[in-house]
Amino acid sequence: MAQGRPYQAYQKTSVGTSSQKQLVLMLFDGMNRFMNQGIKAIAEEDFEATHIALHKSGKILLELISTLREDKGGEIARNLKSVYVFCYEQTVIANLKKDADIIRDIQGILGNISAGFKEISQKASVVATGAQKISVTG
């Protein structure tokens, strides 16, 4: 099955074995990659490639919106949803206008959120590792 498609097999395994935090970070990384492709395509005046890249970015934003649990996340989830919806709307506008500056602005906003998720993920990892050490030696 994976013969001839090792990268796709790796991706499937990587996604299937990742934690929720890791999956969110993977979504942010993919979205940033697609936005960079969109910026490059705008510079090259390849508007079909621009549309494809920004459409993929938008789909990732919609996925992030759909996975928010406002019932459990409360105000934080509601605020994230507002930011994601804003970024999605701006992505659509950037796609229509073929405006790289709008994309860069979105990347700045989402980069801050991604950095926050990375920090949370790292702290959770340190806490989990520390807890394991305590239980092993205790």
Side-chain angles (χ1 to χ4, degrees):
M1 177 177 99
Q3 188 175 4
R5 295 179 177 244
Y7 182 70
Q8 287 83 2
Y10 168 78
Q11 279 184 312
K12 187 175 181 179
T13 301
S14 179
V15 169
T17 59
S18 296
S19 71
Q20 284 184 323
K21 290 178 193 91
Q22 290 169 322
L23 290 173
V24 169
L25 291 173
M26 291 167 83
L27 287 172
F28 275 105
D29 289 344
M31 185 169 34
N32 192 52
R33 186 177 65 250
F34 292 132
M35 287 185 178
N36 284 335
Q37 289 172 4
I39 290 169
K40 182 179 181 224
I42 289 170
E44 295 171 353
E45 297 186 5
D46 184 347
F47 300 127
E48 182 178 355
T50 301
H51 173 75
I52 291 168
L54 295 182
H55 181 71
K56 288 178 180 180
S57 296
K59 286 174 65 174
I60 292 172
L61 280 163
L62 291 175
E63 180 65 24
L64 288 169
I65 292 166
S66 73
T67 59
L68 285 172
R69 298 280 311 266
E70 291 183 60
D71 58 327
K72 293 189 178 195
E75 185 178 352
I76 293 172
R78 284 189 293 278
N79 290 340
L80 275 174
K81 182 177 183 179
S82 294
V83 172
Y84 292 159
V85 168
F86 172 79
C87 288
Y88 176 78
E89 291 168 348
Q90 291 300 301
T91 300
V92 171
I93 291 168
N95 195 1
L96 291 171
K97 292 183 175 184
K98 306 304 183 224
D99 189 330
D101 289 333
I102 295 173
I103 300 167
R104 287 185 194 97
D105 290 343
I106 298 165
Q107 284 180 307
I109 293 166
L110 296 173
N112 288 331
I113 296 171
S114 177
F117 275 111
K118 285 179 185 172
E119 188 173 330
I120 290 168
S121 182
Q122 289 170 349
K123 286 183 179 180
S125 178
V126 168
V127 168
T129 304
Q132 288 174 349
K133 287 181 183 177
I134 291 169
S135 65
V136 169
T137 58

